[in-house]
Amino acid sequence: MHRLGAWRRRRRNRRAAERQKIIWEWQELRGFLEEQEQRLLAQLEELDRAIVQRRDEGICSLSWENSLLSERGGEKGQQPLSQPLQGAGGTGGREDGRFRKPEPSFAELEKRLSDFSLKSAMLQELLLGFKGELESGGRVSSG
């Protein structure tokens, strides 16, 4: 009888240890997923800001070029439209003797967005597979 009581205690302790291990592992997984969520959301926000900034710079550049064209239209000895306006439209031009860092083009931003969407789709597929595996194959036999 004493052996049976000791065996039951060991089994109960083993189940309690397994329970604690599962709780700890899932807490770790939740923390990791929350960190990844915040990282991905921050990257998406950064990409949104870059797109808006690039769009606004393009609008300002076009307004500036339009203003130059209007001014030159009223001048005598105006520059022919076939010649490019000096300093107009360059994203990597010089200002105050220093080179500006070129801003990412819309094509680059579009590629970053596409890469982000692809990564998001891959993560969703992984999550669905993981969820399906847990729901179908995660059953433990009582042996």
Side-chain angles (χ1 to χ4, degrees):
M1 187 78 152
H2 178 64
R3 292 171 95 178
L4 184 59
W7 178 81
R8 286 181 179 163
R9 264 194 313 277
R10 282 194 308 270
R11 298 282 290 176
R12 187 176 41 241
N13 289 342
R14 188 169 155 200
R15 285 192 314 270
E18 279 298 314
R19 184 174 293 116
Q20 286 301 322
K21 181 180 172 188
I22 290 170
I23 290 169
W24 180 83
E25 288 172 345
W26 281 96
Q27 286 174 340
E28 287 289 310
L29 182 58
R30 269 192 297 277
F32 173 76
L33 291 173
E34 287 173 2
E35 288 173 12
Q36 295 308 306
E37 176 187 22
Q38 293 304 314
R39 187 178 62 80
L40 290 172
L41 289 173
Q43 287 176 357
L44 185 58
E45 190 173 315
E46 178 186 323
L47 185 57
D48 284 343
R49 280 193 303 267
I51 289 170
V52 168
Q53 180 182 0
R54 186 69 179 123
R55 183 201 62 208
D56 291 349
E57 287 172 355
I59 290 171
C60 287
S61 177
L62 287 175
S63 294
W64 183 73
E65 289 175 22
N66 194 22
S67 170
L68 275 178
L69 285 173
S70 295
E71 287 176 15
R72 288 177 182 245
E75 296 176 4
K76 293 186 181 193
Q78 63 190 15
Q79 183 176 352
L81 290 179
S82 62
Q83 293 180 2
L85 293 175
Q86 195 172 19
T91 58
R94 291 175 65 106
E95 282 184 4
D96 300 330
R98 292 176 292 212
F99 283 102
R100 290 186 300 181
K101 180 181 176 187
E103 296 296 327
S105 69
F106 277 118
E108 291 173 58
L109 293 173
E110 185 67 31
K111 177 162 178 9
R112 284 174 53 191
L113 182 59
S114 176
D115 290 348
F116 186 85
S117 295
L118 180 62
K119 184 186 295 185
S120 181
M122 288 174 19
L123 287 172
Q124 185 176 12
E125 189 175 322
L126 264 170
L127 181 60
L128 289 174
F130 179 64
K131 189 176 176 182
E133 182 64 31
L134 286 176
E135 290 172 350
S136 67
R139 295 190 173 58
V140 178
S141 65
S142 57

